[in-house]
């Protein structure tokens, strides 16, 4: 974890309301892993006040660059769309724990919904360079929300939409279930997306008796473990776990989904 | 120039502290901040029993502020002793343990059991948490109760005893005077203001507990006015906090009558804020030829 004041390299739309922001990555800074995140200041002033968390969507040491994908939703993210190359970029990173490697013999199935695409693209790219590449399944409401320009040729990718306007019709979890059945593989699930999708992914993992990893979201204060704000309910001794420290990646069996 | 701050039997190296609940126990920030320049580290609240904290969401941003309802989540006294005390022994700055509970016995138990720990510089008694159902805020709004509890805690430890005041009262000076009468070495103010946000789509409050504590730049003028009034009502030092995000804000608190300040919410936003505030106070002192903290109090009647 470090406080890094770097520069924006590029900030471009990649789908309707979705943007990819690339930033310079100083050589001294620790390398971000898939699943890890940063927090950034959108402005110096008091509105918006808090740093905003975003998962890394890519990192390339050779290019000295890291990236995030964000969705324009409110005041802070609208301000982010105005960032230009060489604008200063104040971040805390890398934060939290990344996704673990798949267990031996398991086929990684990466399931992304909406804004959850960022960390899944990063993980898919990473796994593509290993002997255990995964299948990346990206679900969106409809065609215009699919980030076609950032997809990698080296990753086996399946696109799907809720309304069938592009790719296969159905939810990413449903498509994952079909793919796993068709391949007859022993899967290991990796998920990032809306809470309902993560819960459905966990149910699928239970059904298949497969390991599964979810990247959780929660409103954050400090993002370094101090404020106890960003908790989720978990099984076990402690009632809550901090998304910023114990997460954001959790074994889906540790989460209380109700 | 001497920026040290005397409170009761102790001395802080400088007036810039970090507020309880925003800095954990220090270890969370050691990779980002040089802890040796911190004037006082006010720990996350310690209660006798572990508290899991409140339901989520616990935080919501508001205009130039944030509303929190953490609910004093902490590992309890036993957990504090085993997991946090060894770290506090290595801390390069004074540690003030923030003590919380739901009744007088709770506060007494924490101080009694920790009184012998050399690594603890002093106590900040949280009589004003708005996010627990009993105690806390209720205890801190009645001058008679505040005086009695302060007096009881005073007998348990000779370390500096600071009573943290809530702004959620009609007259904060009455509570401050009660703390002074009970033997407090200082008061700190303000704790968060009770606030609420309603989700008009979901038709319910955003926080499960309905209300929370408002902090951040939005409350700076409120904290400042409270410190101004309290500093004129008591003779013990006042520790000012509420909305400080830059040196100018801290200087305003010192000019209003504070002997020390705490940075809270701004710790979440700018890891360099502590250094900037301390540097700014020093520069201001040089500019106006101030030799010590009480010299800041000469300008405003």
């Amino acid at each position: 974890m470090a406080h890094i004041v770097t520069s924006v390299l590029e900030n471009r739309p990649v789908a309707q309301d979705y943007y990819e922001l690339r930033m310079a990555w100083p050589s001294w800074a620790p390398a971000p892993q898939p699943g890890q995140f940063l927090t950034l200041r959108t402005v110096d002033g008091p509105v918006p006040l808090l740093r905003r968390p975003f998962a890394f969507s890519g990192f390339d040491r050779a290019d000295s660059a890291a990236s995030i994908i964000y969705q324009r939703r409110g005041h802070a993210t609208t301000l982010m769309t105005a960032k230009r190359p060489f604008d200063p970029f104040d971040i805390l990173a890398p934060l939290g724990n990344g996704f673990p490697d798949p267990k031996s013999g398991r086929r990684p199935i990466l399931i992304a919904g909406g804004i959850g695409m960022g960390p899944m693209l990063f993980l898919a790219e990473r796994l593509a360079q290993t002997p255990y590449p995964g299948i990346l399944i990206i679900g969106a409401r409809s065609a215009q929300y699919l980030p076609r320009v950032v997809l990698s040729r080296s990753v086996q990718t399946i696109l799907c939409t809720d309304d069938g306007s592009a790719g296969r019709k159905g939810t990413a979890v449903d498509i994952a279930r079909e793919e796993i059945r068709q391949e007859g593989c022993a899967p290991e699930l990796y998920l990032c997306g809306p809470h309902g999708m993560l819960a459905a992914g966990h149910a699928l993992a239970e059904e298949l008796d497969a390991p599964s990893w979810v990247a959780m979201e929660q409103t954050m204060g400090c993002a370094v473990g101090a404020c106890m704000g960003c908790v989720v309910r978990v099984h076990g001794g402690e009632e809550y776990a901090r998304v910023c420290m114990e997460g954001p990646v959790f074994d889906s069996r540790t989460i209380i989904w109700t | 120039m001497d920026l040290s701050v005397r409170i009761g039997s102790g001395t802080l190296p400088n007036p810039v502290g970090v507020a309880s609940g925003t800095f954990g126990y220090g270890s969370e920030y050691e990779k980002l901040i040089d802890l040796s320049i911190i004037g006082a580290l006010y720990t996350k609240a310690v209660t006798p029993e572990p508290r899991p904290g409140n339901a989520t969401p616990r935080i919501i941003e508001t205009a130039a502020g944030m509303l929190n309802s953490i609910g004093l989540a902490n590992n309890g006294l036993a957990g504090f002793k085993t997991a946090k005390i060894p770290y506090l022994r290595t801390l390069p700055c004074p540690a003030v343990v923030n003590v919380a509970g739901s009744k007088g016995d709770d506060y007494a138990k924490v101080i009694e059991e920790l009184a012998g720990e050399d690594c603890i510089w002093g106590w900040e008694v949280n009589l004003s948490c708005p996010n627990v159902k009993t105690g806390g805020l209720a205890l801190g709004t009645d001058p008679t109760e505040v005086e009695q509890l302060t007096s009881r805690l005073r007998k348990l430890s000779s370390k500096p005893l600071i009573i943290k005041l809530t702004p959620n009262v009609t007259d904060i000076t009455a509570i401050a005077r009660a703390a002074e009468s009970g033997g407090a070495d200082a008061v700190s103010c303000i704790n968060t203001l009770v606030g609420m946000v309603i989700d008009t789509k979901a038709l319910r409050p955003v926080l499960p507990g309905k209300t929370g504590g408002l902090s951040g730049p939005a409350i700076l003028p409120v904290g400042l006015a409270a410190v101004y009034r309290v500093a004129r009502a008591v003779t013990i030092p006042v520790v000012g906090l509420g909305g400080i995000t830059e040196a100018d804000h801290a200087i305003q608190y010192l000019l209003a009558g504070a002997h020390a300040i705490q940075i809270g919410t701004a710790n979440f936003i700018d890891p360099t804020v502590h250094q900037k505030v301390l540097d700014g106070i020093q520069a201001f002192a040089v500019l106006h030829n101030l030799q010590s903290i009480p010299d800041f109090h000469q300008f405003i009647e």
Side-chain angles (χ1 to χ4, degrees):
Chain A
M1 177 204 312
H3 181 215
I4 306 169
V5 181
T6 181
S7 302
V8 174
L9 295 174
E10 188 183 16
N11 188 18
R12 61 169 180 156
V14 294
Q16 184 172 319
D17 297 335
Y18 286 94
Y19 295 77
E20 180 191 54
L21 188 148
R22 286 204 321 135
M23 70 208 79
W25 201 259
S27 54
W28 60 264
Q33 303 300 322
Q36 287 190 301
F37 67 101
L38 56 74
T39 61
L40 61 88
R41 287 189 83 176
T42 49
V43 292
D44 279 343
V47 182
L49 181 66
L50 296 171
R51 289 174 173 273
R52 295 295 195 267
F54 295 94
F56 286 98
S57 60
F59 171 68
D60 191 330
R61 181 64 88 183
D63 283 352
S64 300
S67 56
I68 58 171
I69 289 178
Y70 64 95
Q71 183 185 16
R72 185 180 61 194
R73 289 177 71 169
H75 184 47
T77 47
T78 300
L79 288 170
M80 282 171 65
T81 64
K83 300 264 183 214
R84 296 287 171 262
F86 304 116
D87 279 355
F89 201 56
D90 181 332
I91 63 173
L92 298 182
L95 302 172
N97 300 304
F99 289 103
D101 286 335
K103 286 166 190 63
S104 175
R106 291 272 171 184
R107 171 83 150 142
I109 306 293
L110 283 55
I111 305 173
I115 192 58
M117 68 178 78
M120 290 294 112
L121 288 164
F122 189 8
L123 180 62
E125 192 79 40
R126 189 59 66 85
L127 292 176
Q129 297 155 20
T130 68
Y132 35 87
I135 306 178
L136 172 61
I137 301 165
I138 301 178
R141 267 179 297 154
S142 57
Q144 67 268 34
Y145 300 108
L146 289 168
R148 290 179 183 280
V149 295
V150 292
L151 300 181
S152 166
R153 280 192 199 87
S154 56
V155 174
Q156 184 187 343
T157 307
I158 298 170
L159 300 177
C160 55
T161 50
D162 295 345
D163 64 3
S165 56
R168 285 157 67 172
K169 186 173 192 304
T171 70
V173 172
D174 288 340
I175 303 298
R177 182 183 280 106
E178 287 170 21
E179 281 303 306
I180 292 162
R181 191 178 301 140
Q182 210 160 27
E183 273 203 10
C185 61
E188 181 150 357
L189 305 188
Y190 296 85
L191 296 112
C192 187
H195 192 84
M197 191 201 91
L198 301 185
H202 168 68
L204 175 62
E206 291 287 88
E207 187 184 313
L208 300 171
D209 195 23
S212 66
W213 305 93
V214 290
M216 300 297 290
E217 258 195 321
Q218 186 57 272
T219 315
M220 282 190 182
C222 69
V224 299
C227 78
M228 314 303 287
C230 66
V231 298
V232 289
R233 289 184 69 213
V234 290
H235 297 288
E238 305 276 343
E239 187 171 344
Y240 292 101
R242 296 165 296 184
V243 170
C244 70
M245 293 302 283
E246 285 79 46
V249 175
F250 291 90
D251 181 329
S252 73
R253 287 179 186 83
T254 65
I255 302 292
I256 296 177
W257 290 102
T258 48
Chain B
M1 185 202 325
D2 174 16
L3 286 184
S4 67
V5 181
R6 185 138 189 99
I7 294 176
S9 60
T11 303
L12 299 173
N14 73 63
V16 186
V18 286
S20 177
T22 67
F23 214 78
Y25 304 88
S27 58
E28 293 83 352
Y29 277 98
E30 67 181 3
K31 285 187 186 130
L32 294 171
I33 295 169
D34 175 7
L35 300 181
S36 70
I37 62 161
I38 290 175
L41 190 155
Y42 297 77
T43 68
K44 175 77 185 156
V46 179
T47 56
E49 302 302 321
R51 292 179 58 95
N54 292 340
T56 60
R58 292 178 172 183
I59 289 177
I60 172 89
E61 185 162 327
T62 59
M66 61 170 269
L67 207 55
N68 88 76
S69 179
I70 307 294
L72 300 178
N74 81 100
N75 290 331
L77 188 50
F80 179 78
K81 284 164 92 170
T82 55
K84 307 301 178 188
I85 286 282
Y87 180 77
L88 294 185
R89 290 194 181 118
T90 69
L91 203 65
C93 64
V96 181
V97 170
N98 184 282
V99 184
S102 50
K103 54 186 188 300
D105 290 352
D106 292 345
Y107 295 86
K109 185 171 185 205
V110 172
I111 293 182
E112 217 159 21
E113 284 211 26
L114 296 175
E117 292 290 348
D118 288 340
C119 64
I120 297 172
W121 183 89
W123 319 102
E124 183 180 50
V125 181
N126 183 356
L127 288 182
S128 46
C129 180
N131 293 327
V132 289
K133 286 199 181 69
T134 54
L137 188 54
L139 273 175
T141 54
D142 178 345
T144 311
E145 295 234 27
V146 170
E147 183 173 344
Q148 279 172 3
L149 182 57
T150 306
S151 156
R152 178 178 176 190
L153 301 179
R154 174 74 288 168
K155 296 182 183 85
L156 301 176
S157 164
S158 58
K159 295 180 195 288
L161 179 67
I162 304 168
I163 305 293
K164 188 167 186 177
L165 307 178
T166 175
N168 302 305
V169 290
T170 309
D171 181 9
I172 194 169
T173 63
I175 313 294
R177 280 193 299 270
E180 183 176 36
S181 305
D185 294 310
V187 290
S188 54
C189 54
I190 54 174
N191 206 321
T192 55
L193 290 147
V194 173
M196 186 175 191
V197 175
I198 294 173
D199 182 334
T200 53
K201 289 194 188 81
L203 303 174
R204 56 176 154 72
V206 172
L207 297 175
K210 298 186 177 63
T211 61
L214 181 66
S215 65
I219 72 165
L220 174 67
V222 181
L224 207 53
V227 164
Y228 172 80
R229 293 178 60 223
V230 167
R232 278 146 191 80
V234 297
T235 58
I236 52 177
V238 180
V239 180
L241 71 153
I244 296 173
T245 61
E246 55 182 271
D248 182 77
H249 303 157
I251 293 164
Q252 289 189 56
Y253 271 104
L254 296 177
L255 292 174
H259 284 74
I261 59 98
Q262 296 176 20
I263 296 169
T265 302
N267 291 314
F268 300 164
I269 301 155
D270 180 6
T272 65
V273 62
H274 189 276
Q275 180 79 62
K276 287 178 191 161
V277 167
L278 184 55
D279 291 351
I281 290 171
Q282 271 167 345
F284 184 88
V286 171
L287 187 66
H288 293 278
N289 195 27
L290 309 178
Q291 299 307 312
S292 65
I293 294 295
D295 285 357
F296 281 77
H297 303 157
Q298 63 186 283
F299 301 101
I300 296 170
E301 250 182 63

